[in-house]
Amino acid sequence: MAENPAFVGDDAAKGTKADVGTIRGTFNKDPKEIEAEQQPGDDEAPTRDQWDAKIEFLLSMIGYCVGLGNVWRFPYLCYRNGGGAFLIPYVIMLVFAGIPMFFIELTLGQYAGLGSLPVWNCIPILKGIGWAMCIISAWTCIYYNMIIAWALYYLFASFTSVLPWHHCGHWWNSDACVESWGVANKTANSTNFTRVSPSEEYWHVRVQQISSDIGETGKMNWELSLCLLLAWIFVFLCLFKGVKSTGKVVYITATFPYIILVILLVRGATLPGALDGILFYITPDLNKLRESQVWYDAASQIFYSIGIAFGGVLTMSSYNKFNNNCQRDAVFVPLMNCGTSVFAGFAVFSFLGFMAHELNVDVKDVVATGPGLVFIAYPEALTLLPASPFWAICLFFMLFMLGLDSMFVTLETIITALVDEFPTALARRKTWLLLGFCVAMYLLGLTQCTQAGIYWVTLMDWYAAGFCLIVTAFFMAIGICWIYGIKRFSSNIKDMIGHEPSMYFKVCWMFVSPALMLFIFIFSLVTYSPVEYNGKPYPGWGVSLGLLMAFSSIIAIPLFAIFALYKQEGSFLQRLRAACRPTASWGPSKSAPRPEEEVTYSYKSDSPYPLYDPRSLEYDMKHNNGVPGLANGTKFPLYDPRSLEEERSSKEAIANGGDDISDNVFTSV
């Protein structure tokens, strides 16, 4: 007969009527009652979600890393820093800083299965790193979704037969406005010709209704306010069910931009002047490699592009299965991201070359950076194409998708961190927490819908995710390698993927990556320049506000270090040692395979014959003058414990005069 699982354990041998009654009661219950009893109570956190498929995680990470910066920032940096020569420092920074630091975040999140706050229970004194990540992500959410709102604005404006920025003559155009076809004539007839394109006036006067500076707020632009509201609604709807909903949305949002990029590249390559733009993009100027600014730009672009120190990488990997090959992901995702940047550059400069050809100007005169490239140069290039509204719809829908992917992860970083840090209070209220954040971020973002909105976006982009990323990543590398310990961290990786990381990763983590980040930080301080927009400097209070944004995240690291020391007891050194040790709650995630627990069987026998462990007999023979543990020195045979119940049954049968007695009452071992 098969062994009844209900009788396995310390109380298995008792077999009391109460136990049987309890078991029968369980089987007689309605299935709904059993399910209700198995659900956690109000004060317990529900089970943490996981990705339904590996492809969902990869698409989410690619969508997060491949964002608007790949389209507007990388091509400009490549042009400004020597064209093809820029790829040399870019690849070096990717190999020795980007991929190793990306691997650290992936490992931390996947091993612990926690967000960016409780994961730092591995080093309590550095828990401020988690708070710094959340603060950086919060600032980024406010202004990044405004850029998505601009993309929506242009997308809606593109549904027309003639693009509104195609011609001059609208109420927002000035006398300096010159359309594309008139540039050559104006240049030939005037030596001091300064052109203002219709797309530039549409951007500044129609969309932004720009004021003189950040101090002149002006009126609210209700069109931008509605676009921003719609952007936040999209974000909420895609996140309110956690990774279950996000994992399905990224099948579209992460793949569609690649389709549009391919279409734009093919179309751009067939245009006149496209080759001039591409050659301008890739022609190397090796003399630029002597300038430290090139290396700084390469390193900063790597950090911004693959999302190091934002907490998003750590958060998304925390939903992975414990044995996922995070080392392979740490190489694949950054390479995919950087390859996309290079690929997007070809599409961008093919259009800029065409634009320079049509306007009869040099390529360098149509190159812009930031919003100027996306919302001024791109729209004007599209007006030169046949069926320009169609291409405008494709472009701005692609920008919307690129921004939406990054917003998913950035906001999920904050929500996951708070829910994991306070599971009892927030786990069952995650949807309401998400809704509250979306509403609060929207209200804060309304400052960017005023006539000074572009100044606020530029201010936050300049300071909120600047050198504070480098500082946060530096402390993360030092903490993991030199406080938590490189041996322990390597052992954690081995528990997940079956082998320790290579020496390349260990050397980068301990020496190379921190040295590069220290260089970037020092260089950013030496070359610091206050924020400006279109060459217009900000007032002193605006610069001070920007610096406060930057230091609001960094200051969390020393503050929580002091708090961690304060919570400990003893002398300063004792407090320091205790604050550097992992807490009792630190360990592998709940999805990690658990060793099988040893089941102890406890039997209670009425037999007068004692049971012996052979090791105890051996001990008695050596240490008890050869006398076993009985008064008369009699040595009884050993019994199989499973025979004891049968022994009792046989005794009862004999007492009742029964004939059905087992022949094998005593089973000798």
Side-chain angles (χ1 to χ4, degrees):
M1 179 182 290
E3 190 175 54
N4 190 338
F7 288 94
V8 178
D10 291 341
D11 299 328
K14 295 181 181 179
T16 61
K17 293 181 180 180
D19 295 334
V20 174
T22 302
I23 296 167
R24 287 176 179 171
T26 301
F27 285 110
N28 291 334
K29 284 184 179 180
D30 185 78
K32 293 183 179 179
E33 295 180 13
I34 298 175
E35 182 181 357
E37 289 181 357
Q38 292 174 347
Q39 291 179 350
D42 293 337
D43 57 343
E44 298 178 0
T47 305
R48 205 170 192 273
D49 291 336
Q50 283 191 329
W51 298 108
D52 288 336
K54 175 65 178 290
I55 188 65
E56 294 181 2
F57 165 70
L58 289 178
L59 288 176
S60 296
M61 289 309 306
I62 292 172
Y64 172 57
C65 296
V66 178
L68 296 171
N70 297 74
V71 178
W72 78 25
R73 198 168 189 268
F74 176 83
Y76 174 78
L77 289 178
C78 198
Y79 144 74
R80 191 180 72 181
N81 292 294
F86 179 71
L87 296 179
I88 297 175
Y90 185 72
V91 171
I92 290 175
M93 291 297 177
L94 170 67
V95 172
F96 293 107
I99 292 177
M101 294 305 300
F102 194 85
F103 192 10
I104 285 183
E105 285 204 48
L106 277 181
T107 299
L108 277 177
Q110 182 172 307
Y111 180 79
L114 297 170
S116 55
L117 287 179
V119 78
W120 290 103
N121 287 336
C122 63
I123 317 172
I125 198 171
L126 290 181
K127 193 161 188 175
I129 293 177
W131 287 103
M133 289 177 171
C134 291
I135 294 171
I136 292 172
S137 294
W139 287 123
T140 304
C141 280
I142 296 174
Y143 78 87
Y144 202 85
N145 219 26
M146 190 66 232
I147 301 174
I148 298 175
W150 292 339
L152 282 174
Y153 187 99
Y154 272 79
L155 177 62
F156 296 145
S158 300
F159 286 93
T160 180
S161 58
V162 179
L163 294 175
W165 56 86
H166 195 163
H167 302 292
C168 298
H170 300 91
W171 64 263
W172 58 83
N173 294 126
S174 66
D175 295 336
C177 178
V178 178
E179 297 179 17
S180 303
W181 59 268
V183 174
N185 294 333
K186 284 282 187 179
T187 305
N189 298 330
S190 176
T191 56
N192 297 321
F193 169 63
T194 301
R195 182 210 181 204
V196 179
S197 66
S199 60
E200 182 177 353
E201 290 197 336
Y202 183 81
W203 165 247
H204 282 136
V205 183
R206 175 66 180 90
V207 179
Q208 297 294 331
Q209 301 176 21
I210 191 169
S211 62
S212 59
D213 60 46
I214 191 173
E216 187 181 342
T217 303
K219 62 181 181 180
M220 185 73 67
N221 187 329
W222 67 268
E223 295 171 321
L224 288 180
S225 302
L226 291 178
C227 288
L228 182 62
L229 176 61
L230 184 60
W232 276 112
I233 290 175
F234 273 119
V235 171
F236 174 77
L237 292 178
C238 294
L239 282 179
F240 81 103
K241 286 193 175 181
V243 296
K244 297 296 182 183
S245 56
T246 307
K248 303 300 181 290
V249 174
V250 292
Y251 282 103
I252 299 174
T253 58
T255 57
F256 185 81
Y258 285 95
I259 298 174
I260 298 299
L261 276 177
V262 171
I263 294 174
L264 291 175
L265 176 61
V266 172
R267 180 67 182 105
T270 62
L271 297 172
L275 182 60
D276 295 335
I278 292 175
L279 290 176
F280 185 86
Y281 169 53
I282 64 174
T283 301
D285 181 5
L286 298 179
N287 292 326
K288 286 282 188 178
L289 297 179
R290 301 175 183 176
E291 302 176 8
S292 55
Q293 180 69 42
V294 177
W295 297 85
Y296 170 76
D297 285 345
S300 62
Q301 175 62 15
I302 287 294
F303 271 74
Y304 302 147
S305 186
I306 62 179
I308 295 174
F310 281 94
V313 177
L314 192 154
T315 300
M316 292 295 101
S317 65
S318 70
Y319 294 109
N320 271 333
K321 291 180 172 59
F322 185 78
N323 59 353
N324 174 64
N325 193 338
C326 52
Q327 178 173 293
R328 181 177 57 200
D329 297 340
V331 177
F332 173 75
V333 175
L335 288 179
M336 187 71 178
N337 170 71
C338 296
T340 303
S341 295
V342 176
F343 179 76
F346 284 97
V348 168
F349 275 87
S350 64
F351 275 88
L352 295 179
F354 166 67
M355 185 176 174
H357 176 271
E358 293 296 307
L359 299 178
N360 196 24
V361 297
D362 293 333
V363 178
K364 64 181 179 65
D365 294 328
V366 294
V367 172
T369 185
L373 181 61
V374 177
F375 298 107
I376 297 176
Y378 282 177
E380 183 170 10
L382 295 174
T383 62
L384 303 174
L385 294 173
S388 54
F390 169 76
W391 298 109
I393 291 171
C394 291
L395 172 67
F396 291 112
F397 190 65
M398 179 190 73
L399 294 177
F400 170 67
M401 291 291 184
L402 287 173
L404 204 60
D405 272 337
S406 299
M407 273 299 302
F408 290 161
V409 181
T410 306
L411 186 58
E412 182 68 28
T413 297
I414 305 170
I415 301 301
T416 298
L418 293 175
V419 170
D420 287 345
E421 180 71 5
F422 310 104
T424 303
L426 298 178
R428 294 189 170 278
R429 302 171 179 86
K430 185 175 181 179
T431 302
W432 290 105
L433 178 65
L434 174 64
L435 179 61
F437 257 89
C438 289
V439 172
M441 295 293 179
Y442 170 70
L443 294 176
L444 290 173
L446 287 178
T447 57
Q448 299 160 143
C449 299
T450 63
Q451 291 181 265
I454 186 63
Y455 298 110
W456 284 103
V457 173
T458 304
L459 179 72
M460 299 182 74
D461 184 44
W462 195 287
Y463 288 105
F467 62 86
C468 51
L469 287 176
I470 310 299
V471 175
T472 304
F474 175 79
F475 279 103
M476 179 168 60
I478 295 298
I480 291 298
C481 296
W482 296 100
I483 301 178
Y484 184 72
I486 191 67
K487 290 184 178 179
R488 180 186 294 172
F489 189 63
S490 300
S491 177
N492 295 157
I493 295 175
K494 184 178 180 180
D495 292 341
M496 293 187 292
I497 65 176
H499 60 84
E500 291 191 357
S502 64
M503 187 58 65
Y504 150 72
F505 281 111
K506 294 180 181 180
V507 172
C508 286
W509 289 335
M510 297 181 71
F511 306 107
V512 181
S513 297
L516 287 174
M517 288 184 286
L518 188 61
F519 155 73
I520 299 168
F521 175 66
I522 294 175
F523 185 83
S524 65
L525 295 180
V526 173
T527 61
Y528 165 76
S529 60
V531 60
E532 59 182 34
Y533 178 74
N534 272 2
K536 184 182 299 184
Y538 278 51
W541 67 266
V543 175
S544 300
L545 184 60
L547 290 173
L548 286 176
M549 289 182 188
F551 284 102
S552 65
S553 56
I554 298 176
I555 197 65
I557 299 176
L559 284 180
F560 278 88
I562 295 172
F563 181 68
L565 291 173
Y566 174 77
K567 290 198 303 181
Q568 307 300 328
E569 297 179 353
S571 64
F572 176 77
L573 288 178
Q574 290 174 331
R575 291 170 181 260
L576 183 62
R577 292 192 191 100
C580 292
R581 298 192 194 103
T583 64
S585 61
W586 168 254
S589 69
K590 294 181 180 180
S591 66
R594 304 292 178 181
E596 294 184 3
E597 297 183 1
E598 295 184 2
V599 180
T600 303
Y601 294 91
S602 176
Y603 294 90
K604 186 175 181 180
S605 175
D606 296 331
S607 173
Y609 307 103
L611 300 177
Y612 284 97
D613 184 337
R615 291 170 296 180
S616 67
L617 293 175
E618 182 180 355
Y619 179 88
D620 287 338
M621 295 299 291
K622 290 181 179 179
H623 301 88
N624 201 21
N625 297 323
V627 180
L630 289 178
N632 58 5
T634 304
K635 186 176 178 181
F636 293 96
L638 299 177
Y639 293 100
D640 185 348
R642 290 170 294 182
S643 68
L644 295 177
E645 186 66 31
E646 186 178 1
E647 177 186 352
R648 283 197 293 270
S649 300
S650 300
K651 287 182 178 180
E652 291 175 1
I654 293 173
N656 296 330
D659 296 327
D660 186 14
I661 302 174
S662 173
D663 294 332
N664 187 22
V665 175
F666 303 106
T667 305
S668 178
V669 177

